[in-house]
Amino acid sequence: MEPNGKGPMLTRRQQLAGIAGGLVMGALPSRLDAAGDEPLKDLAAQKGVLFGTAISAGRSSPMADPGYGALVARECAVVVPENEMKVYVLGNDPQALNFGPADRIATFAQDHRMKLRGHTLLWNYGKYISPALAQMVEATGAEKWLRAYIAKVAGHFGDRIYSWDVINETIDPKTGEVRGTVFDKALGFDVFKIAYETAREHAPHAQRVYNDYMSWEVGNETHRAGVLRLLARFRKENVPVDALGIQSHLGNDGSHSRVQRAEWKRFLDEVVAMGYRLLITEFDINDREMPRDVARRDAQTAAVAKSYLDQMLAYPQLDQLLCWGLWDKHSWLNGFAPRADGLPQRPLPYDDELKPKPMRAAIADALRAAPVRKGIA
Ligand code: XIL
């Protein structure tokens, strides 16, 4: 053992060889990661925070790529499926759901002693509700379909899931109102009661989250106001919601200026004053508006990450930090928001050769600077 008690240091070459060769866990001393640093999950745990990432079950999964698998296992205490628990993967018929891909993720989590988040029981956004689903919901009756679907999905995973995004993105950012889907058109506000109460019934131990993408950025004022009204109404009508999931897909406005920080603080203060806990559920930074030059781009995303996470981690109510992927290679942003210059996006803490980027250091620094809290773990 070295005097620092961390075990022998590996050279950078040894560390990278370990990753590239797909040497699974244990190839590196457990207190060190690829950056010669403590794993993010350990830095987070020291502060009462769970650190993790979204993963998928397909071609880009940590199960298919041992190097990525080793990285996820070393850095993360929690994983969440990127798509595999959504209705468009599970299927429209509550009596015949396809749990295969989600179960593979659940097994990966269990094998590596990670926690599992659930995302999402109802993505109440028309864009993600197929005509076939809408038709089935209308034919069955919205309440009947929703109760049956949530009962099956929450019941299937049971206590393997400690925290569920019960409803996702129900507020229209342009109007601040509930979007107007086949569900809420039929049920009005009862859609929320039914979803959260059914989740409580079938997964009583799990935290129940409302998840959305309002942010501190300019242009989000109406979205923030709409989410606050929704959260207030949950309280008024006793809808059992525990926490606000703040997706944190940042980057449309790279500045995180003092004025915006103050606006965001007002929002967060109101949320916690209503008794909600907070979590960051889908952190990444869209670099579309940032320079071509990789070093400058990486410095900018790291600076935004540090500034934002410092502000967020100052709240003792915030106890989970999940990235939407751990490395740039398969980020959804390359499809959703490609750069005009055709270069790949660099939104995440590791690059597409699994090398840590300045954003990884920014996350570590923010965690080191954060106060200790009593977390969910
Ligand atoms: C995205 C996935 O990353 C993509 O693979 C998929 O094509 C669309 O959904 N907000 C959410 C996530 O709540 O579920 C979304 O995930 C990203 C935005």
Side-chain angles (χ1 to χ4, degrees), residues 82-83 86 88 119-120 123 128 168-169 211 213 247 249 282 324 332:
E82 185 170 348
N83 289 298
K86 294 172 181 169
Y88 57 69
H119 174 80
T120 170
W123 196 349
Y128 297 98
N168 194 35
E169 300 184 350
N211 193 50
Y213 59 87
Q247 291 184 6
H249 293 292
E282 307 182 13
W324 208 238
W332 75 299

Short mmCIF file of all heavy atoms in Angstrom, two decimals, residues 82-83 86 88 119-120 123 128 168-169 211 213 247 249 282 324 332, ligand 1:
data_model
loop_
_atom_site.label_atom_id
_atom_site.label_comp_id
_atom_site.label_asym_id
_atom_site.label_seq_id
_atom_site.Cartn_x
_atom_site.Cartn_y
_atom_site.Cartn_z
N GLU A 82 -32.11 4.20 -20.75
CA GLU A 82 -32.34 5.38 -21.58
C GLU A 82 -33.70 5.31 -22.29
O GLU A 82 -34.39 6.31 -22.41
CB GLU A 82 -31.21 5.51 -22.61
CG GLU A 82 -31.30 6.77 -23.44
CD GLU A 82 -30.05 7.02 -24.28
OE1 GLU A 82 -29.01 6.35 -24.06
OE2 GLU A 82 -30.12 7.88 -25.18
N ASN A 83 -34.08 4.13 -22.74
CA ASN A 83 -35.36 3.95 -23.44
C ASN A 83 -36.14 2.71 -23.03
O ASN A 83 -37.33 2.60 -23.32
CB ASN A 83 -35.11 3.85 -24.96
CG ASN A 83 -34.68 5.18 -25.57
OD1 ASN A 83 -35.42 6.16 -25.53
ND2 ASN A 83 -33.46 5.21 -26.10
N LYS A 86 -39.63 2.60 -21.48
CA LYS A 86 -40.66 3.48 -22.06
C LYS A 86 -41.68 2.63 -22.80
O LYS A 86 -41.37 1.53 -23.28
CB LYS A 86 -40.01 4.47 -23.02
CG LYS A 86 -39.08 5.47 -22.31
CD LYS A 86 -38.31 6.31 -23.31
CE LYS A 86 -37.38 7.30 -22.61
NZ LYS A 86 -36.44 7.94 -23.57
N TYR A 88 -42.77 2.84 -25.70
CA TYR A 88 -42.45 2.47 -27.08
C TYR A 88 -41.49 1.28 -27.16
O TYR A 88 -41.27 0.74 -28.23
CB TYR A 88 -42.01 3.65 -27.94
CG TYR A 88 -40.83 4.49 -27.49
CD1 TYR A 88 -39.53 3.98 -27.51
CD2 TYR A 88 -41.02 5.82 -27.12
CE1 TYR A 88 -38.46 4.78 -27.16
CE2 TYR A 88 -39.94 6.62 -26.76
CZ TYR A 88 -38.66 6.09 -26.78
OH TYR A 88 -37.59 6.88 -26.43
N HIS A 119 -37.57 4.87 -15.55
CA HIS A 119 -37.89 6.02 -16.41
C HIS A 119 -38.59 5.48 -17.66
O HIS A 119 -37.98 4.75 -18.40
CB HIS A 119 -36.59 6.73 -16.80
CG HIS A 119 -36.77 7.84 -17.80
ND1 HIS A 119 -37.21 9.09 -17.44
CD2 HIS A 119 -36.58 7.89 -19.15
CE1 HIS A 119 -37.26 9.86 -18.53
NE2 HIS A 119 -36.89 9.15 -19.57
N THR A 120 -39.82 5.72 -17.86
CA THR A 120 -40.78 6.52 -17.14
C THR A 120 -42.15 5.86 -17.30
O THR A 120 -42.41 5.28 -18.36
CB THR A 120 -40.79 7.99 -17.64
OG1 THR A 120 -41.90 8.70 -17.09
CG2 THR A 120 -40.89 8.07 -19.15
N TRP A 123 -44.94 9.11 -20.15
CA TRP A 123 -44.32 10.26 -20.85
C TRP A 123 -45.47 10.99 -21.52
O TRP A 123 -45.87 10.66 -22.63
CB TRP A 123 -43.31 9.75 -21.87
CG TRP A 123 -42.36 10.80 -22.36
CD1 TRP A 123 -42.42 12.16 -22.16
CD2 TRP A 123 -41.18 10.58 -23.15
NE1 TRP A 123 -41.35 12.78 -22.76
CE2 TRP A 123 -40.57 11.84 -23.37
CE3 TRP A 123 -40.56 9.43 -23.68
CZ2 TRP A 123 -39.41 11.98 -24.11
CZ3 TRP A 123 -39.40 9.58 -24.41
CH2 TRP A 123 -38.82 10.84 -24.62
N TYR A 128 -44.39 11.50 -28.22
CA TYR A 128 -43.93 10.15 -27.88
C TYR A 128 -45.07 9.17 -27.63
O TYR A 128 -44.88 8.10 -27.07
CB TYR A 128 -42.97 10.20 -26.68
CG TYR A 128 -41.73 11.00 -27.01
CD1 TYR A 128 -41.61 12.34 -26.63
CD2 TYR A 128 -40.68 10.42 -27.73
CE1 TYR A 128 -40.48 13.08 -26.96
CE2 TYR A 128 -39.55 11.16 -28.07
CZ TYR A 128 -39.46 12.49 -27.67
OH TYR A 128 -38.35 13.22 -28.01
N ASN A 168 -43.40 12.15 -16.92
CA ASN A 168 -42.31 12.86 -17.58
C ASN A 168 -42.88 13.95 -18.51
O ASN A 168 -43.81 13.68 -19.28
CB ASN A 168 -41.53 11.83 -18.42
CG ASN A 168 -40.18 12.32 -18.90
OD1 ASN A 168 -39.50 13.07 -18.19
ND2 ASN A 168 -39.78 11.90 -20.09
N GLU A 169 -42.35 15.15 -18.39
CA GLU A 169 -42.55 16.21 -19.39
C GLU A 169 -44.00 16.52 -19.74
O GLU A 169 -44.35 16.64 -20.91
CB GLU A 169 -41.81 15.84 -20.69
CG GLU A 169 -40.31 15.67 -20.50
CD GLU A 169 -39.58 15.40 -21.82
OE1 GLU A 169 -40.22 15.17 -22.84
OE2 GLU A 169 -38.33 15.44 -21.79
N ASN A 211 -40.67 14.47 -13.48
CA ASN A 211 -39.43 14.76 -14.21
C ASN A 211 -39.71 15.71 -15.38
O ASN A 211 -40.65 15.49 -16.14
CB ASN A 211 -38.89 13.42 -14.73
CG ASN A 211 -37.46 13.50 -15.23
OD1 ASN A 211 -36.59 14.02 -14.54
ND2 ASN A 211 -37.21 12.97 -16.42
N TYR A 213 -37.83 19.18 -18.10
CA TYR A 213 -36.57 19.75 -18.59
C TYR A 213 -36.48 21.27 -18.47
O TYR A 213 -35.61 21.89 -19.08
CB TYR A 213 -36.28 19.29 -20.02
CG TYR A 213 -37.32 19.61 -21.08
CD1 TYR A 213 -37.31 20.82 -21.77
CD2 TYR A 213 -38.30 18.69 -21.39
CE1 TYR A 213 -38.25 21.10 -22.75
CE2 TYR A 213 -39.25 18.95 -22.38
CZ TYR A 213 -39.22 20.15 -23.06
OH TYR A 213 -40.15 20.42 -24.04
N GLN A 247 -34.11 17.46 -15.40
CA GLN A 247 -33.35 16.70 -16.40
C GLN A 247 -31.94 17.26 -16.59
O GLN A 247 -30.98 16.53 -16.69
CB GLN A 247 -34.10 16.69 -17.73
CG GLN A 247 -35.38 15.87 -17.67
CD GLN A 247 -36.08 15.77 -19.02
OE1 GLN A 247 -35.59 16.23 -20.04
NE2 GLN A 247 -37.24 15.16 -19.02
N HIS A 249 -30.64 18.92 -19.30
CA HIS A 249 -30.04 18.93 -20.64
C HIS A 249 -29.69 20.39 -20.92
O HIS A 249 -30.54 21.15 -21.38
CB HIS A 249 -31.03 18.42 -21.69
CG HIS A 249 -31.37 16.98 -21.53
ND1 HIS A 249 -30.45 15.98 -21.76
CD2 HIS A 249 -32.52 16.35 -21.15
CE1 HIS A 249 -31.03 14.79 -21.55
NE2 HIS A 249 -32.28 14.99 -21.17
N GLU A 282 -30.82 13.75 -15.93
CA GLU A 282 -30.37 13.49 -17.31
C GLU A 282 -29.30 14.49 -17.74
O GLU A 282 -29.36 15.08 -18.82
CB GLU A 282 -31.58 13.58 -18.28
CG GLU A 282 -32.74 12.71 -17.87
CD GLU A 282 -33.93 12.75 -18.85
OE1 GLU A 282 -33.78 13.25 -19.96
OE2 GLU A 282 -35.01 12.27 -18.46
N TRP A 324 -26.81 11.67 -18.73
CA TRP A 324 -27.55 10.96 -19.79
C TRP A 324 -26.52 10.30 -20.71
O TRP A 324 -26.35 10.64 -21.86
CB TRP A 324 -28.47 11.92 -20.53
CG TRP A 324 -29.69 11.25 -21.11
CD1 TRP A 324 -30.07 11.25 -22.42
CD2 TRP A 324 -30.69 10.49 -20.42
NE1 TRP A 324 -31.23 10.52 -22.57
CE2 TRP A 324 -31.64 10.05 -21.36
CE3 TRP A 324 -30.87 10.12 -19.07
CZ2 TRP A 324 -32.75 9.27 -21.02
CZ3 TRP A 324 -31.99 9.35 -18.73
CH2 TRP A 324 -32.90 8.93 -19.71
N TRP A 332 -27.42 10.83 -27.33
CA TRP A 332 -28.64 11.08 -28.10
C TRP A 332 -28.58 12.43 -28.83
O TRP A 332 -29.28 12.63 -29.81
CB TRP A 332 -29.85 11.04 -27.17
CG TRP A 332 -30.01 12.25 -26.29
CD1 TRP A 332 -29.14 12.70 -25.34
CD2 TRP A 332 -31.10 13.18 -26.28
NE1 TRP A 332 -29.62 13.84 -24.75
CE2 TRP A 332 -30.84 14.16 -25.30
CE3 TRP A 332 -32.30 13.26 -26.99
CZ2 TRP A 332 -31.69 15.21 -25.03
CZ3 TRP A 332 -33.16 14.33 -26.72
CH2 TRP A 332 -32.85 15.28 -25.75
C1 XIL B 1 -34.25 10.24 -25.36
C2 XIL B 1 -33.29 9.12 -25.66
O1 XIL B 1 -32.00 9.50 -25.22
C3 XIL B 1 -33.27 8.84 -27.14
O2 XIL B 1 -32.49 7.69 -27.40
C4 XIL B 1 -34.70 8.64 -27.64
O3 XIL B 1 -34.67 8.52 -29.03
C5 XIL B 1 -35.60 9.78 -27.25
O4 XIL B 1 -35.53 9.96 -25.85
N1 XIL B 1 -35.93 13.69 -22.04
C6 XIL B 1 -36.22 12.44 -21.53
C7 XIL B 1 -35.52 11.26 -22.09
O5 XIL B 1 -36.96 12.33 -20.56
O6 XIL B 1 -36.31 10.11 -22.01
C8 XIL B 1 -35.09 11.51 -23.50
O7 XIL B 1 -34.35 10.39 -23.96
C9 XIL B 1 -34.29 12.78 -23.60
C10 XIL B 1 -35.11 13.97 -23.18
#
